[in-house]
Amino acid sequence: MSRADRGDRAERAARIRNVMREEGDAVARNTREHNAGRKAAAENVPEYEDLRTRARELKEHAIENLPELIEELRESVAANGGHLYIADDAADANRYIVEAVGDADTVVKSKSMTTEEIEVNDALAAAGVEPVETDLGEWVIQLADEAPSHLIGPAMHKERAEIAELFADVFDLAEPPETAAELTAFAREKLGKRIREADVGMTGANFVVAESGTLAIVTNEGNARKVAATTDTHVAVAGVEKIVPTVEDLQPFLELLSRSGTGQELSAYTSLLTPPVASPVPDFDAPAESLVDGNGDGSGVAADSDREFHLVLIDNGRLAMREDDELRETLYCVRCGACANSCGNFQSVGGHVFGGETYTGGIAGGWEAGIEGLDVAAEFNDLCTGCSRCVPACPVQIDIPWINTVVRDRINRRKADASDFAFLPDGLAPDAEPAGLDLGKRFVGDFATLAEWGHRTAPLANRLANAGPVRAALERVVGIDRRRDLPEFASESLVEWFDRRGGSRVPIDEADRDAIVYPDTYTNYVDVERGKAAVRTLEALGVHVRVPPLPPSGRPPLSQGMVATAEERAHDLYAALAEHVDAGRDVVVVEPSDLAMIRSEYERFLEPDSFERLAGASYEVLEYVYGLLENGAPIDALTPGDDSTRNRELAYHPHCQARTLDLEEYTLAVLERAGYDVRTSDTECCGMAGSFGYKAEYYELSIDVGEPLVEDFGGTDRTLVASGTSCGEQLDALLDRPARHPVELIAPPESASR
């Protein structure tokens, strides 16, 4: 690793540390509140998953037929008397907007991330026009001269007292407002006056309807409707991906948008405007006069014929993303911010670290790569750890971790091409990546090879790895933080132990089932005891167990964006397991992240039939035990654990990817059926996230993400339980107590095995 790389790492760590100190508490409180609200709101809608599927289908259809929808929308807007302009990029959009604004002194704006993207405020100011944000959060950010920190909560990082201080400073207030109500009233008075005086209003649009030219704008403040309806000229700015075919198509999105973003059933204002016609123009001098009969003759509202409407749709890289099989899914985004709210890393640092030029949170990886380029995406791409908690949160089912993995792969390859080692021939490393790949990524991505050699040379390898000079070198060369305990490699692997004991204790002709216990890298070479426990548990329930040597799943290389290597591993493992699957054997997986590979990411690597066969035959170990018990296996055959669990009280943290696969319920059911009292953590991710917490620049962030676990379990002497390797390591680091795998709590001792 070069001196410049080490400097970048130190600078990044310092920036993260500073933002966590200055903004972390406010961001954590607000995102976690929104995330909890989303979950509660979803539970109250029985058809929630159907709505997500419908929304996904509509987005897929709209993006597929985007050119035709643009032309239909062009005709609709023209028929209404407005103007549609398709802007190639930000400069093109700003040129058109400045011309449309003309000689106006002021443009009042409602919240719009697209106008943030094109930096329209700077373009207006350069043209001598004052832009005034009227969304409270955006106004605060404008006054503070800062960037938004969240897609829907631009000032989410600010405490109320900071906003009061800001208002006092900007407006020279001797007695500034203090309470939330006072601050809101102050802003309403100021901004209401600016809206009434303005000639031009600018809005975004959550959706644009092709068949009618209707804009759907969702807000909680009502300012967008005022901005659009009370000014002589209305300019709406949106990305081309916002088009939907019909008004009826809005239904699932409006049902999902607020629930996903803030947990509200509906936002306070959902405005459907078809400008420039039929937009009610209030008379502020006659506030009591009805807006629905502005002509006074019962004919309804008629728009002022002098009003102008310009719809500016932005390409700015979107049409290229549409042609990109990997980034195309980004265009389905409805910008609710749910991916950010559900993300452990985002909850700690917010969008000022986990974001690019405009967009924040997990989905920002796709947006910034497509719009700004890989350099911008590279600044925060590592912060997506692939925990997958954003996947069930996304209302349009976008596989956000996969998008970030693809972006990481592209960043890796570009940096490798520019590396001083790019001249070396490929194939010198045990992976399928180019020669110049970052050493830190290669070190982690090839962990399976490292673990095998660590096992072969243990215990010497363990002593050497923890020697001070070696730890210093690891931190300096590959970025492994010396404050983390390293995995301790076992002298005897799970496969070797199984062979030594003579194989399964349940003869095949006496067995109810025939199963492979998959010796993943950690279970085989590091945490062997949980693998032994899995074998004993299955045998106690009448399963003939096999533990053959098998290739790694590819999870570590995938986490580093080494997609070609991960795909190679997927094919190797499938080839090794296919014969077993053909023979009707089940595949039982101890490490949840490996099962997530088989059930999720392998769909992108294997042929459809192969994927279905392997995924359909693979089970997480407690899920498998649950199935055996449900089919008549006796719970009495399992023996609750050792002395440390005699009180039968457990503190259980489910693995993030297991939670996404809905596996935690099986673990909980089995442990409770075995007589344990289980307290479960709601924390989305422990913060370790595989190798993420080992990296020097992210160590402190990783600890901060895990802090809720200290709040959950720090005051209890319950036995800590975690199914994921990294979860157990993080709990040990946070609470100074080791965690047990759930299967270890139900496994009979070896002496009691058949």
Side-chain angles (χ1 to χ4, degrees), residues 115 267 360 637 689:
T115 62
S267 290
T360 54

Side-chain angles (χ1 to χ4, degrees), residues 137-195:
E138 286 286 353
W139 190 51
V140 168
I141 294 304
Q142 185 180 34
L143 294 176
D145 193 23
E146 295 178 3
S149 60
H150 190 279
L151 287 176
I152 64 170
M156 179 177 282
H157 59 289
K158 285 194 170 297
E159 302 283 2
R160 177 169 49 80
E162 292 179 83
I163 297 172
E165 186 177 337
L166 174 70
F167 283 2
D169 183 47
V170 172
F171 297 102
D172 194 22
L173 304 176
E175 296 182 1
E178 295 181 353
T179 68
E182 290 172 347
L183 289 165
T184 303
F186 178 82
R188 181 180 291 119
E189 180 185 350
K190 290 286 184 185
L191 295 174
K193 183 173 185 297
R194 300 307 301 266
I195 292 173

Side-chain angles (χ1 to χ4, degrees), residues 273-582:
L273 307 174
T274 309
V277 297
S279 294
V281 183
D283 183 351
F284 288 106
D285 295 327
E289 186 171 317
S290 171
L291 294 180
V292 298
D293 189 18
N295 296 326
D297 59 2
S299 62
V301 175
D304 187 332
S305 60
D306 291 334
R307 295 195 73 220
E308 289 186 24
F309 172 63
H310 301 267
L311 175 57
V312 184
L313 293 185
I314 312 294
D315 172 5
N316 207 27
R318 289 167 172 79
L319 296 182
M321 292 166 70
R322 179 174 172 269
E323 302 300 323
D324 186 323
D325 289 342
E326 308 295 357
L327 295 186
R328 180 187 181 105
E329 206 175 358
T330 307
L331 299 174
Y332 305 161
C333 172
V334 296
R335 298 182 190 170
C336 63
C339 58
N341 299 335
S342 60
C343 172
N345 280 347
F346 191 95
Q347 290 175 356
S348 283
V349 296
H352 287 164
V353 169
F354 199 159
E357 294 289 330
T358 306
Y359 298 100
T360 54
I363 195 61
W367 280 121
E368 295 289 340
I371 290 171
E372 301 291 345
L374 292 178
D375 283 345
V376 173
E379 294 175 6
F380 63 93
N381 174 264
D382 277 351
L383 294 174
C384 175
T385 62
C387 81
S388 76
R389 295 305 299 141
C390 55
V391 175
C394 176
V396 281
Q397 303 175 341
I398 300 174
D399 190 346
I400 294 168
W402 176 254
I403 291 173
N404 281 300
T405 299
V406 169
V407 170
R408 190 168 303 155
D409 182 72
R410 294 178 182 181
I411 293 168
N412 287 348
R413 290 178 178 276
R414 197 176 62 160
K415 289 181 70 175
D417 289 344
S419 165
D420 292 340
F421 299 99
F423 68 91
L424 294 172
D426 294 341
L428 296 178
D431 55 52
E433 307 304 314
L437 181 70
D438 175 83
L439 276 179
K441 290 185 180 294
R442 178 157 268 152
F443 181 82
V444 174
D446 291 333
F447 180 73
T449 302
L450 179 70
E452 183 178 354
W453 280 101
H455 149 68
R456 288 182 180 180
T457 57
L460 177 62
N462 296 321
R463 287 199 295 270
L464 285 176
N466 285 298
V470 175
R471 292 304 306 262
L474 283 174
E475 184 171 283
R476 183 181 179 85
V477 177
V478 294
I480 301 299
D481 196 290
R482 69 183 78 186
R483 289 167 286 188
R484 283 285 184 193
D485 292 335
L486 295 177
E488 187 169 321
F489 300 112
S491 298
E492 182 180 57
S493 71
L494 176 65
V495 172
E496 291 167 347
W497 167 82
F498 189 75
D499 286 344
R500 182 172 59 78
R501 81 197 283 261
S504 182
R505 300 285 171 83
V506 178
I508 186 65
D509 56 354
E510 298 178 11
D512 298 319
R513 305 287 298 184
D514 187 0
I516 303 293
V517 169
Y518 174 52
D520 65 83
T521 300
Y522 255 90
T523 303
N524 197 32
Y525 296 127
V526 180
D527 196 353
V528 178
E529 292 306 316
R530 65 180 187 176
K532 296 177 182 177
V535 170
R536 296 197 302 270
T537 298
L538 299 193
E539 288 178 342
L541 298 177
V543 179
H544 178 77
V545 176
R546 303 165 193 257
V547 189
L550 290 168
S553 72
R555 170 60 68 187
L558 190 78
S559 73
Q560 303 307 301
M562 299 162 62
V563 174
T565 303
E567 181 169 4
E568 194 173 83
R569 302 283 186 267
H571 288 292
D572 290 346
L573 182 57
Y574 175 73
L577 284 172
E579 186 176 353
H580 294 290
V581 174
D582 287 344

Side-chain angles (χ1 to χ4, degrees), residues 609-624:
D609 288 348
S610 302
F611 166 72
E612 292 292 339
R613 290 173 62 226
L614 181 56
S618 300
Y619 306 87
E620 191 267 342
V621 61
L622 269 292
E623 176 190 26
Y624 193 71

Side-chain angles (χ1 to χ4, degrees), residues 9 53 71-72 123 158 243 252 283 294 332 355 511 534 547 587 630 742:
R9 178 168 290 157
T53 300
E71 290 312 307
E72 184 180 358
K158 285 194 170 297
I243 303 176
D283 183 351
Y332 305 161
V547 189
V587 179
E630 284 293 291

Side-chain angles (χ1 to χ4, degrees), residues 497 501 505-506 528-543 545 621-622 625 628-629 633-642 645 670-671 674 676 740-754:
W497 167 82
R501 81 197 283 261
R505 300 285 171 83
V506 178
V528 178
E529 292 306 316
R530 65 180 187 176
K532 296 177 182 177
V535 170
R536 296 197 302 270
T537 298
L538 299 193
E539 288 178 342
L541 298 177
V543 179
V545 176
V621 61
L622 269 292
V625 170
L628 294 172
L629 296 176
I635 186 68
D636 293 344
L638 304 178
T639 304
D642 55 27
T645 62
V670 171
L671 292 176
Y676 287 107
R740 311 287 301 280
H741 190 285
V743 77
E744 294 181 81
L745 303 176
I746 59 174
E750 179 70 5
S751 58
S753 295
R754 296 188 182 192

Side-chain angles (χ1 to χ4, degrees), residues 101-109 120-133 139 142-143 194 197-200 202:
V101 168
D103 58 359
D105 295 325
T106 304
V107 171
V108 286
K109 297 178 62 209
V120 73
N121 285 6
D122 291 343
L124 291 170
V129 181
E130 182 190 12
V132 178
E133 300 288 352
W139 190 51
Q142 185 180 34
L143 294 176
R194 300 307 301 266
E197 294 173 348
D199 296 320
V200 177
M202 183 179 296

